[in-house]
Amino acid sequence: MKTGRYLMKKSFFLLLISIFIASSACAIDTGKTKSDKGELSDMKISIQITSDSGSHKLTATLADNSSARALYDLLKKGPVTIKMSDYGNFEKVGPLGTSLPRNDSHIATKSGDIMLYQGNQITIFYGNNSWSYSCLGKVDGMNQSQLKKILGKGDVTAVFEVLP
């Protein structure tokens, strides 16, 4: 009986570790390796946000995965403008106009995370959520209250482009 409980506890512990690793997929910055696990890369972009609070220029670091590399390649051809709407009082989401490779996994998002949803929509989070996304990157140097103020209420226009 003691062995059965030990195995159950060990299995439960391993399951918790796996969930923790998967949920922090976009927040990890462990270096610049070539992988599809969502670590941040050296690919930088700017996002010009126009909202009810004015015009704001953000920078972001893209993840090191095939979804983010495809977005970066798209942006190297020129800026992409996306009309974004509020969803759930924690994110802005809008259609990219094309599909990118998906690396979907169940992720617990944090403020500043930039995600690909269903392969063809970009989301910028100013709150938390948990769903199946492909990590695209993270807004640099902004906390939740700053992002919420910048993204404002209602629709926004976001222009994504590669930093020179």
Side-chain angles (χ1 to χ4, degrees), residues 9-28:
K9 285 181 181 180
K10 186 175 180 179
S11 297
F12 182 71
F13 179 72
L14 291 174
L15 177 65
L16 285 176
I17 289 174
S18 298
I19 290 170
F20 174 76
I21 291 170
S23 71
S24 60
C26 207
I28 297 173

Side-chain angles (χ1 to χ4, degrees), residues 116-137:
L116 179 67
Y117 175 64
Q118 295 186 341
N120 62 4
Q121 296 180 58
I122 291 186
T123 61
I124 302 173
F125 285 87
Y126 60 88
N128 302 326
N129 191 28
S130 181
W131 200 258
S132 184
Y133 300 105
S134 297
C135 179
L136 290 175

Side-chain angles (χ1 to χ4, degrees), residues 32-72:
K32 297 174 180 146
T33 60
K34 292 291 179 196
S35 71
D36 278 342
K37 296 186 179 178
E39 290 93 356
L40 297 178
S41 72
D42 57 358
M43 295 181 291
K44 296 287 226 173
I45 63 169
S46 71
I47 309 166
Q48 183 71 41
I49 302 287
T50 305
S51 68
D52 65 349
S53 68
S55 183
H56 309 273
K57 189 165 190 164
L58 308 175
T59 60
T61 304
L62 295 182
D64 191 2
N65 63 44
S66 60
S67 303
R69 285 190 294 275
L71 176 63
Y72 192 76

